[in-house]
């Protein structure tokens, strides 16, 4: 397994690092960990993501929908921040969809439980990726000001 760090340098994970990476993703998705090596799986990437974010609603429409069998949508969301922010590294895993879930994903209840009710005028950063068998695909990042 290869990863790219913040400086754009590629490095290969050793066996222990790959084991932890896969099993941490599986635990976050509510799946049972594995102890035997598995084949590397490349989850499909999201093609589009459109968020509807107001002080009364938070849903995310994505394609391809529904997700492929065994795939789950992992939603990482930032706390509400100043609308002047244009960069963020503070994401929290807010929700993991059911396997092969169809669009849209309703995130209002999870967002309210984690951060309180959405406040109009604040910016929220969102990162979505598809998880399959403990392997996570390319993230799809968007940011939006709460309407």
């Amino acid at each position: 397994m290869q990863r790219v760090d913040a400086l754009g340098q590629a490095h290969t994970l050793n066996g222990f690092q790959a084991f932890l990476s896969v099993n941490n993703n599986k635990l976050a998705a509510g799946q049972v960990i594995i102890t035997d090596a598995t084949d590397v799986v490349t989850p499909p990437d999201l093609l589009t993501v459109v968020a509807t974010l107001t002080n009364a609603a938070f849903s995310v429409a994505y394609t391809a929908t529904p997700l492929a069998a065994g795939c789950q949508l992992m939603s990482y969301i930032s706390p509400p921040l100043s609308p002047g922010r244009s960069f963020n590294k503070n994401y929290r895993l807010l929700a993991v969809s059911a396997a092969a879930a169809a669009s849209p994903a309703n995130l209002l209840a999870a967002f309210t439980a984690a951060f309180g009710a959405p406040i109009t005028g604040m910016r929220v950063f969102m990162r979505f990726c598809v998880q399959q068998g403990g392997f996570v695909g390319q993230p799809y990042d968007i940011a939006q000001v709460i309407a």
Side-chain angles (χ1 to χ4, degrees):
M1 290 177 54
Q2 284 209 340
R3 297 292 164 119
V4 178
D5 63 19
L7 300 175
Q9 300 170 329
H11 60 279
T12 302
L13 300 181
N14 65 32
F16 183 66
Q17 292 168 327
F19 173 84
L20 290 178
S21 175
V22 167
N23 283 319
N24 283 336
N25 291 331
K26 288 179 81 63
L27 285 174
Q31 298 175 353
V32 178
I33 63 170
I34 57 173
T35 55
D36 293 330
T38 182
D39 291 334
V40 175
V41 177
T42 304
D45 293 332
L46 294 169
L47 303 175
T48 62
V49 176
V50 178
T52 301
L53 181 54
T54 68
N55 59 357
F58 186 7
S59 65
V60 177
Y62 54 88
T63 57
T65 184
L67 295 173
C71 293
Q72 296 172 289
L73 179 70
M74 299 184 80
S75 304
Y76 296 89
I77 311 295
S78 76
L81 301 168
S82 165
R85 294 278 303 260
S86 60
F87 179 76
N88 178 60
K89 291 291 280 182
N90 183 14
Y91 292 100
R92 300 176 191 172
L93 180 60
L94 193 68
V96 178
S97 74
S103 177
N106 187 350
L107 301 177
L108 181 62
F111 184 88
T112 303
F115 306 119
I119 301 168
T120 301
M122 300 297 280
R123 181 179 298 275
V124 175
F125 292 86
M126 299 162 263
R127 174 173 285 171
F128 302 97
C129 49
V130 176
Q131 184 274 143
Q132 182 179 13
F135 297 90
V136 176
Q138 290 295 318
Y140 195 105
D141 293 344
I142 58 175
Q144 187 170 335
V145 174
I146 300 170

